[in-house]
Amino acid sequence: SVDRVNELLTARFARCALIRVQNPIALPASRLYPDFAILRPRADYYTTSKPEAPDIFVVIEVSDTSLVRDRDVKLPAYARAGIPEGWVLDVTGGVLIVGRDPGPTGYATTTVHRRGERLTVPDLPDVTLSADELLGPSR
């Protein structure tokens, strides 16, 4: 699933963002490695420092056996760090969980997207993705 989503994100965001795959981001008191971070382009490709919340459009976790940790631990940590948006692709359940409006206790707004639905990253409205593309073939 990670390879498929990587190919999709790289193709769709090629002109407007950098895709970081399973690499660290700078979070206060945490060492989380999201499956994906969609980043603001930077000339040094983040070789001189890890991306911080202002550099990140969205973080994405691909969940199969890790759903509880991704949804209940990682998403709130991303929100507390001020990352504007966090997504969890629940591959087994066939849904995409989207958290927006970060705050000290987590994302204030959480929506669930199902197959057939489309979504965008608010800061990158020219790129549209479908839940079907992100989730892959039905299991």
Side-chain angles (χ1 to χ4, degrees):
S1 294
V2 170
D3 291 337
R4 184 183 41 73
V5 173
N6 182 39
E7 184 176 317
L8 172 67
L9 296 177
T10 299
R12 290 292 172 79
F13 291 99
R15 299 191 187 279
C16 59
L18 295 175
I19 307 302
R20 190 173 180 93
V21 183
Q22 297 177 330
N23 282 305
I25 57 176
L27 296 179
S30 180
R31 291 184 55 90
L32 296 178
Y33 291 63
D35 288 321
F36 297 97
I38 300 175
L39 308 174
R40 296 180 190 287
R42 205 166 86 180
D44 72 347
Y45 289 84
Y46 297 93
T47 57
T48 59
S49 65
K50 294 176 190 170
E52 298 179 358
D55 302 314
I56 302 169
F57 292 115
V58 61
V59 291
I60 302 172
E61 296 293 347
V62 178
S63 295
D64 193 342
T65 59
S66 60
L67 177 62
V68 172
R69 176 173 161 69
D70 291 340
R71 184 191 58 216
D72 299 342
V73 176
K74 292 177 104 177
L75 268 188
Y78 297 144
R80 286 190 301 274
I83 295 172
E85 193 158 330
W87 298 0
V88 175
L89 304 181
D90 178 358
V91 177
T92 304
V95 296
L96 170 62
I97 302 163
V98 175
R100 291 183 173 149
D101 305 315
T105 60
Y107 287 105
T109 305
T110 303
T111 56
V112 176
H113 297 267
R114 290 175 171 65
R115 294 186 180 282
E117 296 183 42
R118 302 190 69 73
L119 65 152
T120 61
V121 176
D123 287 337
L124 300 169
D126 293 338
V127 178
T128 302
L129 299 164
S130 73
D132 298 86
E133 293 172 312
L134 289 161
L135 293 166
S138 297
R139 289 187 173 193

